[in-house]
Amino acid sequence: MTATATISEPKYGWWAGNARLTNLSGRLLGAHVAQAALIVFWAGAFTLFELSQYNPTEPMYEQGLILLPHLASLGIGVGEGGQIVDTGPYFVIGVLHLISSAVLGAGGIYHALIGPEVLPQNDSFSGFFGYDWEDGDKMTSIIGIHLVLLGLGAWLLVAKAMFVGGLYDPNVEAVRVISQPTLNPLEIFGYLVGQKGAEGMAAVNNLEDVVGGHIYVGLLLIGGGVWHLRTSPKIWALRVLYWSGEAYLSYSLGALAYMGFLAAYFITVNDTVYPTEFYGPLGLEKTAAGFVTSRTWLATSHFVLAILFLFGHIWHAVRVRSRAAGFDMRQGQFVKQVNDSDVTLLFLRNLPIYRRGLSPVFRGLEIGMAHGYFLIGPWITLNSIEDPQLANATGLLMAILSIATIAIALNLYRVEESENLFYWLESPEDWSLFRGGFLVGGGGGAIFVYFMLQNFPVIDEIFRGLVN
């Protein structure tokens, strides 16, 4: 291999989202504030939408609601027996979120279009928000600030439970103030070692422990935040961790994936924090009337998002490790001598997007087949059709439509001969061949899985030797 001092830095188009803003701290701040505005807007708008659809004569968990059950579990608008007696606070909460989203949206637009592209790094107010990805002291300070804010968020629940009306307690079927939270650390941390049951934290069955746990979580987060604010990265951290924007994205996605899996499990098995009055029976089941419960929707969405976050974590971690080892994402090869036994780097180099000796059309076929093969499963699993044959056919149709949508998106992106995105992409014709191969391969992968599912009993018998 030929050694070189630098690795070509890709120039991203609009389709790459925030990747275009990695080194533009001002614009990246604007994007984050704008995304926060979208999240808050969604929360407000959907609270009002769910409120407009809510029928007090039917169980809340049979109405496809997600946000109102959360508000009800906080004891807002709830009377004896878990009955919703006042929906006025839900309206107020929705409107406040909409107003807040407008304020955040204005800040996002300012930083995205008007403010400085790169924030200064000095003692001024705006300089407080400036940063350099490789500045370990600044990165740990940012972590510290986030931890302190998360700790204060945990204590907000404590304040609501102890001083602002209390929480809904399914054990007494009423809203009550939690005046004596559990403060014994052996009781609280015993959940982590299975002392309270095999479910771990999800075994909690009383609000005293829930509120006490949040007190300790807040203490740990704020204590960790202060520690990070007052210290510099240790030598081992400087050696082990990667210090770049994409590395931090990978770490964050990994943490989100872990929390998503934990939340999905917690929701499925716990009826103290997620009361059956609002979320439906425990487990991932339909009700006797055939409705998918709010618990099922909530747990399933957390699980699916956790999988996506995990894949994102792995992908960005691979990119970070490979670039640090000298892998050029455009050339598809290492620009300096590396240890070929590294599994991560070996894996990346043999992906069809980089592997040597493939024509553009065969690259598209291989990548498309993988997408079609894996897309059909979620569509079959998540649709509400009970008939297996019809569910499989619907999954096939949706998988093919998804592949076609991706192919259309690929067609919208125009490749110029001067761009040289990948070493094998030498002309617009190569990109066209790749798109065509992706479309055919994606459809073929989905059809192959559909055929396997339709004939699974016969295939199973063949592999078990029951058919001669």
Side-chain angles (χ1 to χ4, degrees), residues 110-398:
Y110 170 79
H111 286 288
L113 301 177
I114 302 174
E117 288 191 347
V118 179
L119 297 173
Q121 300 181 59
N122 51 41
D123 294 331
S124 66
F125 176 76
S126 59
F128 175 79
F129 297 94
Y131 57 83
D132 179 356
W133 295 122
E134 297 183 359
D135 184 348
D137 288 340
K138 187 66 176 183
M139 292 302 108
T140 53
S141 296
I142 292 175
I143 292 174
I145 293 170
H146 281 74
L147 290 175
V148 169
L149 293 175
L150 287 171
L152 294 175
W155 280 353
L156 279 177
L157 179 70
V158 176
K160 174 66 175 70
M162 298 183 65
F163 311 113
V164 192
L167 304 174
Y168 178 76
D169 188 349
N171 292 322
V172 299
E173 297 184 345
V175 178
R176 69 181 182 90
V177 172
I178 314 302
S179 58
Q180 295 181 328
T182 303
L183 298 179
N184 184 346
L186 296 179
E187 290 286 326
I188 296 300
F189 293 100
Y191 285 99
L192 300 179
V193 295
Q195 178 182 339
K196 301 292 184 175
E199 299 89 349
M201 286 188 293
V204 65
N205 59 6
N206 64 88
L207 292 183
E208 277 71 21
D209 286 1
V210 171
V211 177
H214 278 77
I215 292 175
Y216 277 103
V217 166
L219 283 172
L220 291 172
L221 288 170
I222 293 175
V226 172
W227 186 81
H228 279 291
L229 284 168
R230 297 179 61 86
T231 61
S232 299
K234 305 301 180 184
I235 298 298
W236 67 266
L238 293 173
R239 292 176 178 174
V240 172
L241 299 176
Y242 293 89
W243 301 82
S244 68
E246 190 165 14
Y248 310 140
L249 173 61
S250 173
Y251 304 148
S252 300
L253 289 172
L256 286 172
Y258 167 75
M259 296 307 298
F261 286 125
L262 180 61
Y265 174 70
F266 201 111
I267 294 164
T268 304
V269 304
N270 187 274
D271 59 0
T272 298
V273 178
Y274 297 92
T276 57
E277 293 88 336
F278 310 133
Y279 295 93
L282 294 177
L284 305 179
E285 300 178 357
K286 294 182 179 179
T287 64
F291 292 97
V292 177
T293 65
S294 296
R295 187 184 304 275
T296 300
W297 281 114
L298 192 61
T300 302
S301 62
H302 275 78
F303 182 76
V304 172
L305 290 172
I307 291 176
L308 295 176
F309 289 143
L310 179 60
F311 287 167
H313 161 70
I314 294 173
W315 169 243
H316 287 289
V318 167
R319 282 173 52 90
V320 169
R321 285 175 54 84
S322 61
R323 287 184 67 82
F327 187 85
D328 192 304
M329 294 293 175
R330 291 189 175 188
Q331 298 179 33
Q333 64 182 4
F334 294 99
V335 296
K336 63 181 181 181
Q337 193 65 38
V338 299
N339 181 6
D340 286 341
S341 64
D342 191 312
V343 177
T344 301
L345 305 180
L346 190 63
F347 163 77
L348 188 68
R349 187 168 56 181
N350 283 280
L351 287 174
I353 197 69
Y354 295 127
R355 193 165 65 247
R356 299 281 166 173
L358 288 180
S359 65
V361 67
F362 276 98
R363 291 185 195 277
L365 277 170
E366 191 169 337
I367 295 172
M369 287 184 68
H371 280 73
Y373 186 91
F374 289 109
L375 274 175
I376 188 172
W379 281 118
I380 292 174
T381 303
L382 296 177
N383 71 52
S384 58
I385 299 174
E386 296 185 0
D387 181 78
Q389 302 294 326
L390 185 57
N392 290 346
T394 303
L396 172 63
L397 176 62
M398 295 306 298

